[in-house]
Amino acid sequence: MEKFLWRDTYSVGNEEIDLQHQRLFALFNTLVEMIEAGQPSQTELQSVLRQLCAYVKNHFRFEETLMRSVGYPELKEHRGAHAKISERLKEYREKFHRCSDQKKGAVVRDVALFLQDWLQNHIKGEDQQYSPFLPITPLQASQLAPPSGEVTAFVLQPFHWDPRYSVGHDTIDAQHQRLFTIFNALIHSIAMGEGRLGVDKAFLQLRGYVKNHFRYEEALMKKNRYPDLVSHKEQHDQICIELKRYRTQFNTAQEADKNRVARDAAAFCSGWLQGHIKVTDKQYAPYVAGSAVQL
């Protein structure tokens, strides 16, 4: 059984996630070394299994929190894959405790084979799918709120328009650039500590413009009979629900908590502005080229 060496092909483009994956590789390699060395002690095996189960649990929690904060549309399915992995590891650990000393080594080898398959296929497959939705600036693990698992702090960079965001439609591109400008005003207000009025004004502008932009996009897709209009509109609706929820939270939060809520909202916006435009919007681009609508 070969050890894992970190390569760029495993990267999801997020520093914290990549570091966590590298830590999982290191734990797997320790397990391989123990198996190859012969007959490790039960205490050593139990220690590595415990570390693996605990670290996987925390890693999955971090990933799911990050995916939720950026509005990743396949979060439910990804969480389901995590649940299956966690359940398998739990079963292996329970089997290790129940079986005789002579069979413990075989259980550990089964664990290693399972991890070998998962670390390669899940990280290089399913994890790569959420990569385009992740914000430019990585979310640090220490910034997670233990009670709720939501993002509590986020260092955001302003968006600068470049051709990667273009969908090849002048009006849509202009609207996306306007969204970037309003988003930049929001994070500026947060960074400068402008308080309730400054943040609320920027957030209100963002939410209002998003609704109008989505209406235009949907009318354009409907006119050109875009086949995935229904699922695209569902994403729009979910984004609007989240924005409304964040604004309600902001308006009802205590003054001491308003900055945290604003940062959570900004982190969510950062994710969907990148992921939605770069991925979902690119899919309708060939259908609407040269077309326009009047609202």
Side-chain angles (χ1 to χ4, degrees), residues 221-237:
M221 286 186 282
K222 182 177 180 180
K223 176 183 177 181
N224 292 277
R225 298 181 180 180
Y226 177 54
D228 290 324
L229 170 60
V230 173
S231 60
H232 199 112
K233 186 178 185 304
E234 287 175 352
Q235 288 194 35
H236 284 176
D237 292 344

PDB file of all heavy atoms in Angstrom, residues 221-237:
ATOM      1  N   MET A 221     -33.653  34.120 -20.335  1.00  0.00           N
ATOM      2  CA  MET A 221     -33.600  32.673 -20.511  1.00  0.00           C
ATOM      3  C   MET A 221     -34.935  32.120 -21.015  1.00  0.00           C
ATOM      4  O   MET A 221     -34.967  31.214 -21.852  1.00  0.00           O
ATOM      5  CB  MET A 221     -33.208  32.006 -19.183  1.00  0.00           C
ATOM      6  CG  MET A 221     -31.740  32.181 -18.814  1.00  0.00           C
ATOM      7  SD  MET A 221     -31.245  31.246 -17.330  1.00  0.00           S
ATOM      8  CE  MET A 221     -31.908  32.312 -16.028  1.00  0.00           C
ATOM      9  N   LYS A 222     -36.035  32.677 -20.507  1.00  0.00           N
ATOM     10  CA  LYS A 222     -37.352  32.227 -20.953  1.00  0.00           C
ATOM     11  C   LYS A 222     -37.569  32.545 -22.427  1.00  0.00           C
ATOM     12  O   LYS A 222     -38.065  31.701 -23.193  1.00  0.00           O
ATOM     13  CB  LYS A 222     -38.438  32.898 -20.108  1.00  0.00           C
ATOM     14  CG  LYS A 222     -39.852  32.446 -20.461  1.00  0.00           C
ATOM     15  CD  LYS A 222     -40.866  33.099 -19.548  1.00  0.00           C
ATOM     16  CE  LYS A 222     -42.285  32.644 -19.903  1.00  0.00           C
ATOM     17  NZ  LYS A 222     -43.299  33.280 -19.009  1.00  0.00           N
ATOM     18  N   LYS A 223     -37.176  33.745 -22.826  1.00  0.00           N
ATOM     19  CA  LYS A 223     -37.334  34.159 -24.223  1.00  0.00           C
ATOM     20  C   LYS A 223     -36.572  33.223 -25.155  1.00  0.00           C
ATOM     21  O   LYS A 223     -37.045  32.889 -26.256  1.00  0.00           O
ATOM     22  CB  LYS A 223     -36.840  35.592 -24.396  1.00  0.00           C
ATOM     23  CG  LYS A 223     -36.866  36.079 -25.838  1.00  0.00           C
ATOM     24  CD  LYS A 223     -36.293  37.476 -25.962  1.00  0.00           C
ATOM     25  CE  LYS A 223     -36.258  37.919 -27.428  1.00  0.00           C
ATOM     26  NZ  LYS A 223     -35.664  39.283 -27.567  1.00  0.00           N
ATOM     27  N   ASN A 224     -35.408  32.785 -24.724  1.00  0.00           N
ATOM     28  CA  ASN A 224     -34.555  31.947 -25.566  1.00  0.00           C
ATOM     29  C   ASN A 224     -34.697  30.456 -25.266  1.00  0.00           C
ATOM     30  O   ASN A 224     -33.885  29.653 -25.728  1.00  0.00           O
ATOM     31  CB  ASN A 224     -33.093  32.379 -25.409  1.00  0.00           C
ATOM     32  CG  ASN A 224     -32.827  33.750 -25.984  1.00  0.00           C
ATOM     33  OD1 ASN A 224     -32.619  33.890 -27.184  1.00  0.00           O
ATOM     34  ND2 ASN A 224     -32.842  34.774 -25.136  1.00  0.00           N
ATOM     35  N   ARG A 225     -35.737  30.106 -24.473  1.00  0.00           N
ATOM     36  CA  ARG A 225     -36.082  28.723 -24.183  1.00  0.00           C
ATOM     37  C   ARG A 225     -34.889  27.939 -23.618  1.00  0.00           C
ATOM     38  O   ARG A 225     -34.593  26.816 -24.035  1.00  0.00           O
ATOM     39  CB  ARG A 225     -36.608  28.038 -25.450  1.00  0.00           C
ATOM     40  CG  ARG A 225     -37.879  28.681 -25.972  1.00  0.00           C
ATOM     41  CD  ARG A 225     -38.392  27.972 -27.204  1.00  0.00           C
ATOM     42  NE  ARG A 225     -39.620  28.612 -27.697  1.00  0.00           N
ATOM     43  CZ  ARG A 225     -40.301  28.201 -28.779  1.00  0.00           C
ATOM     44  NH1 ARG A 225     -39.869  27.139 -29.462  1.00  0.00           N
ATOM     45  NH2 ARG A 225     -41.387  28.830 -29.161  1.00  0.00           N
ATOM     46  N   TYR A 226     -34.242  28.547 -22.640  1.00  0.00           N
ATOM     47  CA  TYR A 226     -33.126  27.870 -21.996  1.00  0.00           C
ATOM     48  C   TYR A 226     -33.649  26.644 -21.253  1.00  0.00           C
ATOM     49  O   TYR A 226     -34.534  26.756 -20.396  1.00  0.00           O
ATOM     50  CB  TYR A 226     -32.431  28.828 -21.029  1.00  0.00           C
ATOM     51  CG  TYR A 226     -31.292  28.213 -20.252  1.00  0.00           C
ATOM     52  CD1 TYR A 226     -30.248  27.569 -20.898  1.00  0.00           C
ATOM     53  CD2 TYR A 226     -31.263  28.268 -18.858  1.00  0.00           C
ATOM     54  CE1 TYR A 226     -29.200  26.997 -20.198  1.00  0.00           C
ATOM     55  CE2 TYR A 226     -30.216  27.707 -18.142  1.00  0.00           C
ATOM     56  CZ  TYR A 226     -29.191  27.072 -18.825  1.00  0.00           C
ATOM     57  OH  TYR A 226     -28.160  26.505 -18.120  1.00  0.00           O
ATOM     58  N   PRO A 227     -33.150  25.437 -21.528  1.00  0.00           N
ATOM     59  CA  PRO A 227     -33.741  24.208 -20.970  1.00  0.00           C
ATOM     60  C   PRO A 227     -33.616  24.054 -19.463  1.00  0.00           C
ATOM     61  O   PRO A 227     -34.405  23.329 -18.855  1.00  0.00           O
ATOM     62  CB  PRO A 227     -32.974  23.089 -21.701  1.00  0.00           C
ATOM     63  CG  PRO A 227     -31.706  23.725 -22.176  1.00  0.00           C
ATOM     64  CD  PRO A 227     -32.055  25.144 -22.480  1.00  0.00           C
ATOM     65  N   ASP A 228     -32.650  24.713 -18.838  1.00  0.00           N
ATOM     66  CA  ASP A 228     -32.464  24.578 -17.390  1.00  0.00           C
ATOM     67  C   ASP A 228     -32.973  25.801 -16.626  1.00  0.00           C
ATOM     68  O   ASP A 228     -32.497  26.084 -15.526  1.00  0.00           O
ATOM     69  CB  ASP A 228     -30.982  24.343 -17.059  1.00  0.00           C
ATOM     70  CG  ASP A 228     -30.512  22.963 -17.495  1.00  0.00           C
ATOM     71  OD1 ASP A 228     -31.325  22.027 -17.397  1.00  0.00           O
ATOM     72  OD2 ASP A 228     -29.365  22.820 -17.933  1.00  0.00           O
ATOM     73  N   LEU A 229     -33.938  26.494 -17.213  1.00  0.00           N
ATOM     74  CA  LEU A 229     -34.482  27.700 -16.576  1.00  0.00           C
ATOM     75  C   LEU A 229     -35.038  27.402 -15.184  1.00  0.00           C
ATOM     76  O   LEU A 229     -34.804  28.164 -14.232  1.00  0.00           O
ATOM     77  CB  LEU A 229     -35.580  28.310 -17.448  1.00  0.00           C
ATOM     78  CG  LEU A 229     -36.410  29.436 -16.814  1.00  0.00           C
ATOM     79  CD1 LEU A 229     -35.523  30.611 -16.407  1.00  0.00           C
ATOM     80  CD2 LEU A 229     -37.524  29.894 -17.757  1.00  0.00           C
ATOM     81  N   VAL A 230     -35.759  26.298 -15.035  1.00  0.00           N
ATOM     82  CA  VAL A 230     -36.408  25.997 -13.750  1.00  0.00           C
ATOM     83  C   VAL A 230     -35.363  25.835 -12.640  1.00  0.00           C
ATOM     84  O   VAL A 230     -35.492  26.440 -11.565  1.00  0.00           O
ATOM     85  CB  VAL A 230     -37.278  24.720 -13.860  1.00  0.00           C
ATOM     86  CG1 VAL A 230     -37.801  24.318 -12.478  1.00  0.00           C
ATOM     87  CG2 VAL A 230     -38.443  24.962 -14.812  1.00  0.00           C
ATOM     88  N   SER A 231     -34.335  25.034 -12.880  1.00  0.00           N
ATOM     89  CA  SER A 231     -33.326  24.828 -11.845  1.00  0.00           C
ATOM     90  C   SER A 231     -32.508  26.095 -11.597  1.00  0.00           C
ATOM     91  O   SER A 231     -32.114  26.373 -10.453  1.00  0.00           O
ATOM     92  CB  SER A 231     -32.381  23.682 -12.251  1.00  0.00           C
ATOM     93  OG  SER A 231     -31.710  23.974 -13.462  1.00  0.00           O
ATOM     94  N   HIS A 232     -32.289  26.894 -12.657  1.00  0.00           N
ATOM     95  CA  HIS A 232     -31.569  28.156 -12.482  1.00  0.00           C
ATOM     96  C   HIS A 232     -32.396  29.116 -11.621  1.00  0.00           C
ATOM     97  O   HIS A 232     -31.861  29.769 -10.725  1.00  0.00           O
ATOM     98  CB  HIS A 232     -31.289  28.789 -13.854  1.00  0.00           C
ATOM     99  CG  HIS A 232     -30.207  29.821 -13.836  1.00  0.00           C
ATOM    100  ND1 HIS A 232     -28.992  29.652 -14.451  1.00  0.00           N
ATOM    101  CD2 HIS A 232     -30.145  31.046 -13.255  1.00  0.00           C
ATOM    102  CE1 HIS A 232     -28.241  30.727 -14.263  1.00  0.00           C
ATOM    103  NE2 HIS A 232     -28.925  31.584 -13.538  1.00  0.00           N
ATOM    104  N   LYS A 233     -33.683  29.175 -11.899  1.00  0.00           N
ATOM    105  CA  LYS A 233     -34.558  30.045 -11.105  1.00  0.00           C
ATOM    106  C   LYS A 233     -34.607  29.587  -9.650  1.00  0.00           C
ATOM    107  O   LYS A 233     -34.685  30.421  -8.726  1.00  0.00           O
ATOM    108  CB  LYS A 233     -35.974  30.061 -11.688  1.00  0.00           C
ATOM    109  CG  LYS A 233     -36.896  31.070 -11.001  1.00  0.00           C
ATOM    110  CD  LYS A 233     -38.266  31.095 -11.645  1.00  0.00           C
ATOM    111  CE  LYS A 233     -39.126  32.188 -11.018  1.00  0.00           C
ATOM    112  NZ  LYS A 233     -39.256  32.073  -9.552  1.00  0.00           N
ATOM    113  N   GLU A 234     -34.567  28.277  -9.422  1.00  0.00           N
ATOM    114  CA  GLU A 234     -34.557  27.775  -8.041  1.00  0.00           C
ATOM    115  C   GLU A 234     -33.332  28.278  -7.289  1.00  0.00           C
ATOM    116  O   GLU A 234     -33.414  28.622  -6.100  1.00  0.00           O
ATOM    117  CB  GLU A 234     -34.588  26.246  -8.054  1.00  0.00           C
ATOM    118  CG  GLU A 234     -35.940  25.660  -8.447  1.00  0.00           C
ATOM    119  CD  GLU A 234     -35.904  24.148  -8.557  1.00  0.00           C
ATOM    120  OE1 GLU A 234     -34.791  23.580  -8.470  1.00  0.00           O
ATOM    121  OE2 GLU A 234     -36.972  23.535  -8.738  1.00  0.00           O
ATOM    122  N   GLN A 235     -32.191  28.332  -7.958  1.00  0.00           N
ATOM    123  CA  GLN A 235     -30.988  28.879  -7.328  1.00  0.00           C
ATOM    124  C   GLN A 235     -31.171  30.358  -7.023  1.00  0.00           C
ATOM    125  O   GLN A 235     -30.779  30.832  -5.955  1.00  0.00           O
ATOM    126  CB  GLN A 235     -29.768  28.659  -8.226  1.00  0.00           C
ATOM    127  CG  GLN A 235     -29.300  27.231  -8.300  1.00  0.00           C
ATOM    128  CD  GLN A 235     -27.913  27.105  -8.900  1.00  0.00           C
ATOM    129  OE1 GLN A 235     -27.052  27.953  -8.696  1.00  0.00           O
ATOM    130  NE2 GLN A 235     -27.695  26.044  -9.661  1.00  0.00           N
ATOM    131  N   HIS A 236     -31.757  31.091  -7.977  1.00  0.00           N
ATOM    132  CA  HIS A 236     -32.038  32.511  -7.739  1.00  0.00           C
ATOM    133  C   HIS A 236     -32.926  32.691  -6.515  1.00  0.00           C
ATOM    134  O   HIS A 236     -32.669  33.553  -5.660  1.00  0.00           O
ATOM    135  CB  HIS A 236     -32.729  33.121  -8.955  1.00  0.00           C
ATOM    136  CG  HIS A 236     -31.817  33.395 -10.107  1.00  0.00           C
ATOM    137  ND1 HIS A 236     -32.271  33.868 -11.321  1.00  0.00           N
ATOM    138  CD2 HIS A 236     -30.472  33.272 -10.234  1.00  0.00           C
ATOM    139  CE1 HIS A 236     -31.248  34.030 -12.142  1.00  0.00           C
ATOM    140  NE2 HIS A 236     -30.147  33.663 -11.505  1.00  0.00           N
ATOM    141  N   ASP A 237     -33.991  31.891  -6.455  1.00  0.00           N
ATOM    142  CA  ASP A 237     -34.934  32.012  -5.332  1.00  0.00           C
ATOM    143  C   ASP A 237     -34.241  31.735  -4.002  1.00  0.00           C
ATOM    144  O   ASP A 237     -34.498  32.416  -3.003  1.00  0.00           O
ATOM    145  CB  ASP A 237     -36.106  31.045  -5.522  1.00  0.00           C
ATOM    146  CG  ASP A 237     -36.997  31.419  -6.699  1.00  0.00           C
ATOM    147  OD1 ASP A 237     -36.900  32.569  -7.166  1.00  0.00           O
ATOM    148  OD2 ASP A 237     -37.777  30.557  -7.153  1.00  0.00           O
TER     149      ASP A 237
END
